[in-house]
Coordinates of all heavy atoms in Angstrom, one line a residue:
M1 N 0.9 -1.2 0.0 CA 0.0 0.0 0.0 C 0.9 1.2 0.0 O 1.8 1.4 0.8 CB -0.9 0.0 1.3 CG -2.0 1.0 1.2 SD -3.3 0.4 2.2 CE -3.4 1.7 3.4
G2 N 0.7 2.1 -0.9 CA 1.5 3.3 -1.0 C 0.7 4.5 -1.5 O -0.5 4.3 -1.9
F3 N 1.4 5.6 -1.6 CA 0.7 6.8 -2.1 C 1.8 7.6 -2.8 O 3.0 7.5 -2.5 CB 0.0 7.6 -1.0 CG 0.9 8.1 0.1 CD1 1.5 9.3 0.0 CD2 1.2 7.3 1.2 CE1 2.4 9.7 1.0 CE2 2.0 7.7 2.2 CZ 2.6 8.9 2.1
R4 N 1.3 8.4 -3.7 CA 2.3 9.3 -4.5 C 2.2 10.7 -4.0 O 1.1 11.2 -3.8 CB 1.9 9.3 -6.0 CG 2.2 8.0 -6.7 CD 2.0 8.1 -8.1 NE 3.0 9.0 -8.7 CZ 3.1 9.2 -10.0 NH1 2.3 8.7 -10.8 NH2 4.0 10.1 -10.4
L5 N 3.4 11.3 -3.8 CA 3.4 12.7 -3.5 C 3.4 13.5 -4.8 O 3.9 13.1 -5.8 CB 4.7 13.0 -2.8 CG 4.9 12.4 -1.4 CD1 6.3 12.6 -0.9 CD2 3.8 12.9 -0.4
P6 N 2.7 14.7 -4.8 CA 2.7 15.5 -6.0 C 4.1 16.0 -6.3 O 4.9 16.1 -5.5 CB 1.8 16.6 -5.6 CG 1.7 16.7 -4.1 CD 2.0 15.3 -3.7
A7 N 4.3 16.2 -7.6 CA 5.6 16.7 -8.0 C 5.9 18.0 -7.4 O 5.0 18.9 -7.3 CB 5.6 16.8 -9.6
V8 N 7.1 18.2 -7.0 CA 7.5 19.5 -6.4 C 8.0 20.4 -7.6 O 8.8 20.0 -8.4 CB 8.7 19.3 -5.4 CG1 9.2 20.6 -4.9 CG2 8.2 18.4 -4.3
I9 N 7.5 21.6 -7.6 CA 7.8 22.6 -8.7 C 8.8 23.5 -8.1 O 8.6 24.1 -7.0 CB 6.6 23.3 -9.1 CG1 5.6 22.4 -9.7 CG2 7.0 24.4 -10.2 CD1 4.2 23.0 -10.0
P10 N 10.0 23.7 -8.7 CA 11.0 24.6 -8.2 C 10.4 26.0 -8.1 O 9.5 26.4 -8.8 CB 12.1 24.6 -9.3 CG 11.9 23.3 -10.0 CD 10.4 23.0 -9.9
A11 N 10.8 26.7 -7.0 CA 10.3 28.0 -6.7 C 10.3 29.0 -7.9 O 9.4 29.7 -8.2 CB 10.9 28.6 -5.5
K12 N 11.5 29.0 -8.6 CA 11.6 30.0 -9.7 C 10.6 29.7 -10.8 O 10.0 30.6 -11.4 CB 13.0 29.9 -10.3 CG 14.0 30.8 -9.5 CD 15.3 30.9 -10.3 CE 16.2 31.9 -9.6 NZ 17.4 32.1 -10.3
K13 N 10.4 28.4 -11.1 CA 9.4 28.0 -12.1 C 8.0 28.4 -11.6 O 7.2 28.9 -12.4 CB 9.5 26.5 -12.4 CG 8.6 26.1 -13.5 CD 8.7 24.6 -13.8 CE 9.8 24.3 -14.7 NZ 9.9 22.9 -15.1
L14 N 7.7 28.2 -10.4 CA 6.4 28.5 -9.8 C 6.2 30.1 -9.9 O 5.1 30.5 -10.3 CB 6.3 28.1 -8.4 CG 4.9 28.3 -7.7 CD1 3.9 27.5 -8.4 CD2 5.0 27.8 -6.3
L15 N 7.2 30.8 -9.5 CA 7.1 32.3 -9.6 C 6.9 32.7 -11.1 O 6.1 33.6 -11.4 CB 8.3 33.0 -9.0 CG 8.3 33.0 -7.5 CD1 9.7 33.5 -7.0 CD2 7.2 33.8 -6.9
R16 N 7.7 32.1 -12.0 CA 7.6 32.5 -13.4 C 6.2 32.2 -13.9 O 5.6 33.0 -14.6 CB 8.6 31.6 -14.2 CG 8.8 32.2 -15.6 CD 10.0 31.5 -16.3 NE 11.2 31.8 -15.6 CZ 12.1 30.9 -15.1 NH1 11.9 29.6 -15.2 NH2 13.2 31.3 -14.6
R17 N 5.6 31.1 -13.4 CA 4.2 30.9 -13.8 C 3.2 31.9 -13.3 O 2.4 32.4 -14.0 CB 3.7 29.5 -13.3 CG 4.1 28.4 -14.1 CD 3.4 27.1 -13.6 NE 4.1 26.0 -14.1 CZ 4.0 24.8 -13.7 NH1 3.1 24.6 -12.7 NH2 4.6 23.8 -14.2
S18 N 3.4 32.3 -12.0 CA 2.5 33.3 -11.4 C 2.6 34.7 -12.1 O 1.7 35.4 -12.1 CB 2.7 33.4 -9.9 OG 3.9 34.0 -9.6
F19 N 3.8 35.0 -12.6 CA 4.0 36.3 -13.2 C 3.8 36.2 -14.7 O 3.7 37.3 -15.4 CB 5.4 36.8 -13.0 CG 5.6 37.4 -11.6 CD1 6.5 36.8 -10.7 CD2 4.9 38.5 -11.2 CE1 6.7 37.3 -9.5 CE2 5.0 39.0 -9.9 CZ 5.9 38.4 -9.0
S20 N 3.6 35.1 -15.3 CA 3.5 34.9 -16.7 C 2.2 35.6 -17.3 O 2.2 36.0 -18.4 CB 3.5 33.5 -17.2 OG 2.4 32.8 -16.7
N21 N 1.2 35.8 -16.4 CA 0.0 36.5 -16.9 C 0.0 38.0 -16.7 O -1.0 38.6 -17.1 CB -1.2 35.9 -16.1 CG -1.5 34.5 -16.4 OD1 -1.2 34.0 -17.5 ND2 -2.0 33.7 -15.5
T22 N 1.1 38.5 -16.2 CA 1.1 40.0 -16.0 C 1.6 40.7 -17.2 O 2.2 40.0 -18.1 CB 2.1 40.3 -14.8 OG1 3.4 40.0 -15.2 CG2 1.7 39.6 -13.5
T23 N 1.4 41.9 -17.3 CA 1.9 42.7 -18.4 C 3.4 42.9 -18.4 O 4.0 43.1 -19.4 CB 1.2 44.1 -18.4 OG1 1.5 44.8 -17.2 CG2 -0.3 44.0 -18.6
R24 N 4.0 42.7 -17.3 CA 5.4 42.9 -17.1 C 6.1 41.6 -17.5 O 7.3 41.6 -17.8 CB 5.8 43.3 -15.7 CG 5.0 44.6 -15.3 CD 5.7 45.3 -14.3 NE 5.0 46.4 -13.6 CZ 4.7 47.5 -14.2 NH1 5.0 47.8 -15.4 NH2 4.1 48.4 -13.5
G25 N 5.5 40.4 -17.3 CA 6.1 39.2 -17.7 C 7.1 38.7 -16.7 O 7.4 39.3 -15.7
A26 N 7.7 37.5 -17.1 CA 8.7 36.9 -16.2 C 10.1 37.5 -16.3 O 10.9 37.1 -15.5 CB 8.7 35.4 -16.5
S27 N 10.3 38.4 -17.2 CA 11.6 38.9 -17.3 C 12.0 39.7 -16.1 O 13.2 39.9 -15.9 CB 11.7 39.8 -18.6 OG 10.8 40.9 -18.5
N28 N 11.1 40.2 -15.3 CA 11.4 41.0 -14.1 C 11.8 40.2 -12.9 O 12.2 40.7 -11.9 CB 10.3 41.9 -13.8 CG 10.2 43.2 -14.6 OD1 11.2 43.5 -15.2 ND2 9.0 43.8 -14.7
L29 N 11.7 38.9 -13.0 CA 12.1 38.0 -11.9 C 13.6 38.2 -11.6 O 14.0 38.2 -10.4 CB 11.9 36.5 -12.2 CG 10.4 36.1 -12.2 CD1 10.3 34.6 -12.6 CD2 9.8 36.3 -10.9
A30 N 14.4 38.5 -12.6 CA 15.8 38.7 -12.3 C 16.1 40.0 -11.6 O 17.1 40.2 -11.1 CB 16.6 38.6 -13.6
D31 N 15.1 40.9 -11.7 CA 15.3 42.2 -11.1 C 15.2 42.2 -9.5 O 15.5 43.1 -8.9 CB 14.2 43.2 -11.5 CG 14.3 43.5 -13.0 OD1 15.2 43.1 -13.7 OD2 13.3 44.1 -13.5
V32 N 14.7 41.1 -9.0 CA 14.5 40.9 -7.6 C 15.6 40.1 -6.9 O 15.7 38.9 -7.1 CB 13.1 40.3 -7.3 CG1 12.8 40.2 -5.8 CG2 12.0 41.0 -8.0
P33 N 16.5 40.8 -6.2 CA 17.6 40.1 -5.5 C 17.1 39.2 -4.4 O 15.9 39.4 -3.9 CB 18.5 41.2 -5.0 CG 17.6 42.4 -5.0 CD 16.5 42.2 -5.9
K34 N 17.9 38.3 -4.0 CA 17.6 37.4 -2.9 C 17.3 38.2 -1.6 O 18.0 39.2 -1.3 CB 18.7 36.4 -2.6 CG 18.4 35.3 -1.6 CD 19.5 34.3 -1.6 CE 19.2 33.2 -0.6 NZ 20.1 32.2 -0.6
G35 N 16.3 37.9 -0.9 CA 15.9 38.6 0.3 C 15.0 39.8 0.1 O 14.7 40.5 1.0
Y36 N 14.5 39.9 -1.1 CA 13.6 41.0 -1.5 C 12.4 40.4 -2.2 O 12.4 39.2 -2.7 CB 14.3 42.0 -2.4 CG 15.3 42.8 -1.7 CD1 16.5 42.3 -1.4 CD2 15.0 44.1 -1.3 CE1 17.5 43.1 -0.8 CE2 16.0 44.9 -0.6 CZ 17.2 44.4 -0.4 OH 18.1 45.1 0.3
F37 N 11.3 41.2 -2.4 CA 10.2 40.7 -3.2 C 9.5 42.0 -3.8 O 9.7 43.1 -3.3 CB 9.2 39.9 -2.4 CG 8.5 40.6 -1.3 CD1 7.1 41.0 -1.5 CD2 9.1 40.8 -0.1 CE1 6.5 41.7 -0.5 CE2 8.4 41.5 0.9 CZ 7.1 41.9 0.8
A38 N 8.8 41.8 -4.9 CA 8.2 42.9 -5.6 C 6.7 43.0 -5.2 O 6.0 42.0 -5.0 CB 8.3 42.6 -7.1
V39 N 6.3 44.2 -5.1 CA 4.9 44.5 -4.8 C 4.4 45.6 -5.8 O 5.3 46.4 -6.3 CB 4.6 45.0 -3.4 CG1 4.9 43.9 -2.4 CG2 5.4 46.2 -3.0
Y40 N 3.2 45.7 -6.1 CA 2.6 46.7 -6.9 C 1.8 47.6 -6.0 O 0.9 47.1 -5.3 CB 1.7 46.1 -8.0 CG 2.6 45.3 -9.0 CD1 2.7 43.9 -8.8 CD2 3.3 45.9 -10.0 CE1 3.5 43.1 -9.6 CE2 4.1 45.1 -10.9 CZ 4.2 43.8 -10.7 OH 5.0 43.0 -11.5
V41 N 2.0 48.9 -6.1 CA 1.3 49.8 -5.2 C 0.6 50.9 -6.0 O 1.2 51.4 -6.9 CB 2.4 50.5 -4.2 CG1 1.7 51.5 -3.3 CG2 3.1 49.4 -3.5
G42 N -0.5 51.3 -5.5 CA -1.3 52.4 -6.1 C -2.8 52.1 -6.1 O -3.2 51.0 -6.0
E43 N -3.5 53.2 -6.1 CA -5.0 53.1 -6.1 C -5.5 52.9 -7.5 O -6.4 52.1 -7.7 CB -5.6 54.3 -5.4 CG -5.3 54.3 -3.9 CD -5.7 55.6 -3.3 OE1 -5.7 56.7 -3.9 OE2 -6.1 55.5 -2.1
R44 N -5.0 53.6 -8.4 CA -5.4 53.5 -9.8 C -4.2 53.0 -10.7 O -4.3 51.9 -11.2 CB -5.9 54.8 -10.4 CG -7.2 55.2 -9.7 CD -7.9 56.3 -10.5 NE -9.1 56.6 -9.8 CZ -9.5 57.7 -9.4 NH1 -8.8 58.8 -9.6 NH2 -10.7 57.9 -8.7
E45 N -3.2 53.8 -10.9 CA -2.0 53.3 -11.6 C -1.1 52.7 -10.7 O -0.7 53.3 -9.7 CB -1.4 54.5 -12.3 CG -0.2 54.1 -13.1 CD 0.0 55.0 -14.3 OE1 -0.9 55.7 -14.7 OE2 1.2 54.9 -14.8
K46 N -0.7 51.4 -11.0 CA 0.2 50.7 -10.1 C 1.7 50.9 -10.5 O 2.0 50.9 -11.6 CB -0.1 49.2 -10.2 CG -1.6 48.8 -10.0 CD -2.1 49.0 -8.6 CE -3.5 48.5 -8.4 NZ -4.4 49.5 -8.1
Q47 N 2.5 51.0 -9.4 CA 3.9 51.1 -9.6 C 4.6 49.9 -8.9 O 4.2 49.6 -7.8 CB 4.5 52.4 -9.1 CG 6.0 52.6 -9.4 CD 6.5 54.0 -9.0 OE1 5.7 54.9 -8.6 NE2 7.8 54.1 -9.0
R48 N 5.6 49.4 -9.5 CA 6.3 48.2 -8.9 C 7.4 48.7 -8.0 O 8.2 49.5 -8.4 CB 6.9 47.4 -10.0 CG 7.5 46.1 -9.6 CD 7.9 45.3 -10.9 NE 8.4 44.0 -10.5 CZ 9.7 43.7 -10.5 NH1 10.6 44.6 -10.9 NH2 10.1 42.5 -10.3
F49 N 7.5 48.1 -6.8 CA 8.5 48.4 -5.8 C 9.1 47.0 -5.4 O 8.4 46.0 -5.2 CB 8.0 49.1 -4.6 CG 7.5 50.4 -4.8 CD1 6.1 50.7 -5.2 CD2 8.3 51.5 -4.7 CE1 5.6 51.9 -5.4 CE2 7.8 52.8 -4.9 CZ 6.5 53.0 -5.2
V50 N 10.4 47.0 -5.2 CA 11.2 45.9 -4.7 C 11.6 46.2 -3.3 O 12.3 47.2 -3.1 CB 12.4 45.5 -5.6 CG1 13.1 44.4 -5.0 CG2 11.9 45.2 -7.0
I51 N 11.1 45.4 -2.3 CA 11.3 45.7 -0.9 C 11.9 44.5 -0.2 O 11.7 43.4 -0.6 CB 10.0 46.2 -0.2 CG1 8.9 45.2 -0.4 CG2 9.5 47.5 -0.8 CD1 7.7 45.5 0.4
P52 N 12.5 44.7 0.9 CA 13.1 43.6 1.7 C 12.1 42.8 2.4 O 11.0 43.3 2.8 CB 14.0 44.3 2.7 CG 13.7 45.7 2.7 CD 12.9 46.0 1.5
V53 N 12.3 41.4 2.4 CA 11.4 40.5 3.1 C 11.3 40.8 4.6 O 10.3 40.5 5.2 CB 11.7 39.1 2.9 CG1 11.6 38.7 1.4 CG2 13.1 38.7 3.4
S54 N 12.2 41.5 5.2 CA 12.2 41.9 6.6 C 11.0 42.8 6.9 O 10.5 42.8 8.1 CB 13.5 42.6 7.0 OG 13.7 43.8 6.3
F55 N 10.4 43.5 5.9 CA 9.2 44.3 6.1 C 8.1 43.4 6.5 O 7.1 43.9 7.2 CB 8.9 45.1 4.9 CG 9.8 46.3 4.6 CD1 10.9 46.5 5.4 CD2 9.5 47.1 3.6 CE1 11.7 47.6 5.1 CE2 10.3 48.2 3.3 CZ 11.4 48.5 4.1
L56 N 8.1 42.1 6.2 CA 6.9 41.3 6.5 C 6.8 41.1 8.1 O 5.7 40.8 8.5 CB 7.1 39.9 5.9 CG 7.1 39.9 4.4 CD1 7.5 38.5 3.9 CD2 5.7 40.3 3.9
N57 N 7.8 41.4 8.8 CA 7.8 41.3 10.3 C 7.2 42.5 10.9 O 6.9 42.5 12.1 CB 9.1 41.0 10.9 CG 9.7 39.6 10.5 OD1 8.9 38.7 10.3 ND2 11.0 39.6 10.2
E58 N 7.1 43.6 10.2 CA 6.6 44.9 10.8 C 5.1 45.0 10.8 O 4.5 44.7 9.8 CB 7.2 46.0 10.0 CG 8.8 46.0 9.9 CD 9.4 46.2 11.3 OE1 8.8 46.8 12.2 OE2 10.5 45.6 11.5
Q59 N 4.5 45.4 11.9 CA 3.1 45.5 12.1 C 2.4 46.4 11.0 O 1.4 46.1 10.5 CB 2.7 45.9 13.5 CG 1.2 45.9 13.8 CD 0.6 44.6 13.6 OE1 1.1 43.6 14.1 NE2 -0.5 44.5 12.8
E60 N 3.1 47.6 10.8 CA 2.5 48.5 9.8 C 2.4 47.9 8.4 O 1.4 48.1 7.7 CB 3.3 49.8 9.7 CG 3.2 50.6 11.0 CD 4.1 51.9 10.9 OE1 5.3 51.7 11.0 OE2 3.6 53.0 10.7
F61 N 3.4 47.1 8.0 CA 3.3 46.5 6.7 C 2.3 45.3 6.7 O 1.6 45.1 5.7 CB 4.7 45.9 6.3 CG 4.8 45.6 4.9 CD1 5.0 46.5 3.9 CD2 4.7 44.2 4.5 CE1 5.0 46.2 2.6 CE2 4.7 43.9 3.2 CZ 4.9 44.9 2.2
Q62 N 2.2 44.6 7.8 CA 1.2 43.6 7.9 C -0.2 44.2 7.8 O -1.1 43.5 7.3 CB 1.4 42.8 9.3 CG 2.6 42.0 9.3 CD 2.8 41.3 10.6 OE1 1.9 41.3 11.5 NE2 4.0 40.7 10.8
D63 N -0.4 45.4 8.3 CA -1.7 46.0 8.2 C -2.0 46.3 6.7 O -3.2 46.1 6.3 CB -1.7 47.4 9.0 CG -1.7 47.2 10.5 OD1 -1.9 46.0 11.0 OD2 -1.3 48.1 11.2
L64 N -1.0 46.7 5.9 CA -1.2 46.9 4.5 C -1.6 45.5 3.8 O -2.4 45.5 2.9 CB 0.0 47.5 3.8 CG 0.3 48.9 4.0 CD1 1.6 49.4 3.4 CD2 -0.9 49.8 3.5
L65 N -0.9 44.5 4.2 CA -1.2 43.2 3.7 C -2.6 42.7 4.0 O -3.3 42.1 3.1 CB -0.2 42.1 4.2 CG 1.3 42.3 3.7 CD1 2.2 41.3 4.3 CD2 1.3 42.3 2.2
N66 N -3.1 43.0 5.2 CA -4.5 42.7 5.5 C -5.4 43.5 4.7 O -6.5 42.9 4.3 CB -4.7 43.0 7.0 CG -4.0 42.0 7.9 OD1 -3.8 40.9 7.5 ND2 -3.7 42.4 9.1
E67 N -5.1 44.8 4.4 CA -6.0 45.5 3.5 C -6.0 44.9 2.1 O -7.1 44.9 1.5 CB -5.5 47.0 3.4 CG -5.8 47.8 4.6 CD -5.3 49.2 4.5 OE1 -5.3 49.8 3.4 OE2 -4.8 49.8 5.5
A68 N -4.9 44.5 1.6 CA -4.8 43.9 0.3 C -5.6 42.6 0.3 O -6.3 42.3 -0.7 CB -3.3 43.6 0.0
E69 N -5.5 41.8 1.3 CA -6.3 40.6 1.4 C -7.8 40.9 1.4 O -8.6 40.2 0.7 CB -5.9 39.8 2.6 CG -6.7 38.5 2.8 CD -6.4 37.7 4.1 OE1 -5.8 38.3 5.0 OE2 -6.8 36.6 4.1
E70 N -8.2 41.9 2.1 CA -9.6 42.2 2.2 C -10.1 42.7 0.8 O -11.2 42.4 0.4 CB -9.9 43.3 3.2 CG -9.8 42.8 4.6 CD -9.9 44.0 5.7 OE1 -10.3 45.1 5.3 OE2 -9.6 43.7 6.8
K71 N -9.3 43.5 0.1 CA -9.7 44.1 -1.2 C -9.7 43.0 -2.3 O -10.6 42.9 -3.1 CB -8.9 45.3 -1.5 CG -9.3 45.9 -2.8 CD -8.7 47.3 -3.0 CE -9.3 47.9 -4.2 NZ -8.9 49.3 -4.4
F72 N -8.5 42.3 -2.4 CA -8.3 41.4 -3.5 C -8.4 40.0 -3.2 O -8.5 39.2 -4.2 CB -6.9 41.7 -4.1 CG -6.7 43.1 -4.6 CD1 -5.7 43.9 -4.0 CD2 -7.4 43.6 -5.6 CE1 -5.5 45.2 -4.4 CE2 -7.2 44.9 -6.0 CZ -6.2 45.7 -5.4
G73 N -8.4 39.6 -2.0 CA -8.3 38.1 -1.7 C -7.0 37.6 -2.2 O -5.9 38.3 -2.0
F74 N -7.0 36.5 -2.9 CA -5.7 36.0 -3.4 C -5.7 36.2 -4.9 O -4.9 35.6 -5.6 CB -5.5 34.6 -3.0 CG -5.2 34.5 -1.5 CD1 -6.2 34.0 -0.7 CD2 -4.0 34.8 -1.0 CE1 -6.0 33.9 0.7 CE2 -3.8 34.8 0.4 CZ -4.8 34.3 1.2
D75 N -6.6 36.9 -5.5 CA -6.7 37.2 -6.9 C -6.3 38.6 -7.2 O -7.1 39.5 -7.3 CB -8.1 36.9 -7.4 CG -8.2 37.1 -8.9 OD1 -7.2 36.8 -9.6 OD2 -9.3 37.4 -9.4
H76 N -5.0 38.8 -7.3 CA -4.4 40.2 -7.5 C -4.4 40.5 -9.0 O -4.0 39.7 -9.8 CB -3.0 40.3 -6.9 CG -3.0 40.2 -5.4 ND1 -3.2 41.2 -4.6 CD2 -2.9 39.1 -4.6 CE1 -3.2 40.8 -3.3 NE2 -2.9 39.5 -3.3
P77 N -4.9 41.7 -9.3 CA -5.1 42.0 -10.7 C -3.7 42.1 -11.5 O -3.7 41.9 -12.7 CB -5.7 43.4 -10.7 CG -5.5 44.0 -9.3 CD -5.4 42.8 -8.4
M78 N -2.6 42.4 -10.8 CA -1.3 42.5 -11.5 C -0.6 41.2 -11.6 O 0.4 41.1 -12.1 CB -0.4 43.5 -10.8 CG -1.0 44.9 -10.7 SD -1.1 45.7 -12.3 CE 0.7 45.8 -12.8
G79 N -1.2 40.1 -11.0 CA -0.6 38.8 -11.0 C 0.3 38.6 -9.8 O 0.6 37.5 -9.3
G80 N 0.9 39.7 -9.2 CA 1.7 39.7 -8.1 C 1.0 40.3 -6.9 O -0.2 40.6 -7.0
L81 N 1.7 40.6 -5.8 CA 1.1 41.2 -4.7 C 0.8 42.7 -4.9 O 1.7 43.4 -5.3 CB 2.1 41.0 -3.5 CG 1.6 41.6 -2.2 CD1 0.3 41.0 -1.7 CD2 2.6 41.4 -1.1
T82 N -0.5 43.0 -4.8 CA -0.9 44.4 -5.0 C -1.3 45.0 -3.7 O -2.2 44.4 -3.0 CB -2.0 44.4 -6.1 OG1 -1.6 43.8 -7.2 CG2 -2.4 45.9 -6.4
I83 N -0.8 46.2 -3.4 CA -1.2 46.8 -2.2 C -2.0 48.1 -2.5 O -1.5 49.0 -3.2 CB 0.1 47.2 -1.4 CG1 0.8 45.9 -1.0 CG2 -0.2 48.0 -0.1 CD1 2.1 46.1 -0.2
P84 N -3.2 48.1 -2.0 CA -4.1 49.2 -2.3 C -4.0 50.5 -1.4 O -4.7 50.7 -0.5 CB -5.5 48.6 -2.1 CG -5.3 47.6 -1.0 CD -3.9 47.1 -1.2
C85 N -2.9 51.2 -1.7 CA -2.7 52.5 -1.0 C -2.1 53.5 -1.9 O -1.5 53.1 -2.9 CB -1.9 52.3 0.3 SG -0.2 52.0 0.1
R86 N -2.1 54.7 -1.5 CA -1.4 55.8 -2.3 C 0.1 55.5 -2.3 O 0.7 55.1 -1.3 CB -1.7 57.1 -1.7 CG -3.1 57.6 -1.9 CD -3.4 59.0 -1.4 NE -2.4 59.6 -0.6 CZ -2.4 59.7 0.7 NH1 -3.5 59.3 1.4 NH2 -1.5 60.3 1.4
Q87 N 0.7 55.8 -3.4 CA 2.2 55.6 -3.5 C 3.0 56.4 -2.6 O 4.0 55.9 -2.0 CB 2.6 55.8 -5.0 CG 2.1 54.8 -5.9 CD 2.5 55.0 -7.4 OE1 3.2 55.9 -7.6 NE2 1.9 54.3 -8.3
D88 N 2.5 57.6 -2.3 CA 3.3 58.5 -1.4 C 3.2 58.0 0.0 O 4.2 58.0 0.8 CB 2.8 60.0 -1.5 CG 1.4 60.2 -1.2 OD1 0.6 59.2 -1.3 OD2 1.0 61.3 -0.8
A89 N 2.1 57.4 0.4 CA 1.9 56.8 1.7 C 2.8 55.6 1.9 O 3.4 55.3 2.9 CB 0.5 56.5 2.0
F90 N 2.9 54.8 0.8 CA 3.7 53.6 0.8 C 5.2 54.0 0.9 O 6.0 53.4 1.7 CB 3.5 52.8 -0.5 CG 4.3 51.5 -0.5 CD1 3.9 50.4 0.3 CD2 5.4 51.4 -1.2 CE1 4.6 49.2 0.2 CE2 6.2 50.2 -1.3 CZ 5.8 49.1 -0.5
L91 N 5.6 55.0 0.2 CA 7.0 55.5 0.2 C 7.3 56.0 1.6 O 8.5 55.8 2.1 CB 7.3 56.6 -0.8 CG 7.3 56.1 -2.3 CD1 7.3 57.2 -3.2 CD2 8.5 55.1 -2.5
D92 N 6.4 56.7 2.2 CA 6.6 57.2 3.6 C 6.8 56.0 4.6 O 7.7 56.0 5.4 CB 5.4 58.0 4.0 CG 5.6 58.6 5.4 OD1 6.6 59.3 5.7 OD2 4.7 58.4 6.3
L93 N 6.0 55.0 4.4 CA 6.1 53.8 5.3 C 7.4 53.1 5.1 O 8.1 52.8 6.1 CB 4.9 52.9 5.1 CG 5.0 51.5 5.8 CD1 5.0 51.7 7.3 CD2 4.0 50.6 5.3
T94 N 7.8 52.9 3.8 CA 9.0 52.2 3.6 C 10.3 53.0 4.0 O 11.2 52.4 4.5 CB 9.2 51.8 2.1 OG1 9.1 53.0 1.3 CG2 8.1 50.8 1.7
S95 N 10.2 54.3 3.9 CA 11.4 55.1 4.4 C 11.5 55.0 5.9 O 12.6 54.9 6.5 CB 11.3 56.5 3.9 OG 10.2 57.2 4.5
R96 N 10.3 55.0 6.6 CA 10.4 54.8 8.1 C 10.9 53.4 8.5 O 11.7 53.3 9.4 CB 9.0 55.0 8.7 CG 8.6 56.5 8.8 CD 7.4 56.7 9.6 NE 6.2 56.5 8.6 CZ 5.2 55.7 8.9 NH1 5.1 55.1 10.0 NH2 4.3 55.6 8.0
L97 N 10.4 52.4 7.7 CA 10.9 51.0 8.0 C 12.4 50.8 7.7 O 13.0 50.1 8.4 CB 10.0 50.0 7.3 CG 8.6 49.9 7.7 CD1 7.8 48.9 6.8 CD2 8.4 49.6 9.2
N98 N 12.8 51.5 6.7 CA 14.3 51.4 6.4 C 15.1 52.1 7.5 O 16.3 51.7 7.7 CB 14.6 52.1 5.0 CG 14.3 51.2 3.9 OD1 14.5 50.0 3.9 ND2 13.9 51.8 2.8
G99 N 14.6 53.0 8.2 CA 15.3 53.7 9.3 C 15.4 52.9 10.5 O 16.1 53.3 11.5
L100 N 14.6 51.8 10.6 CA 14.7 51.0 11.9 C 15.9 50.2 12.0 O 16.6 49.8 11.1 CB 13.4 50.1 11.9 CG 12.1 50.7 12.0 CD1 11.0 49.7 12.0 CD2 12.0 51.5 13.3

């Protein structure tokens, strides 16, 4: 009696698939260094930002992620993580978090 485990997909291939439906495509994967991730920010026009994964531990950033979950669920229009706030507010937050 046995069972089969599903095939494991390498992370890069999985990410490439998740970004393949975006207008920016998979070519931007190389733009994101290890220890960082890309997010799209803006209420109407979205701008891409590459930020450190350490921001995930900060409560203020987690609040933004909760807003994104409430607004988009897991179906983000850009294909990647989209944060629904003004770009200037996001830049203010990231500059404060960089100062920590």
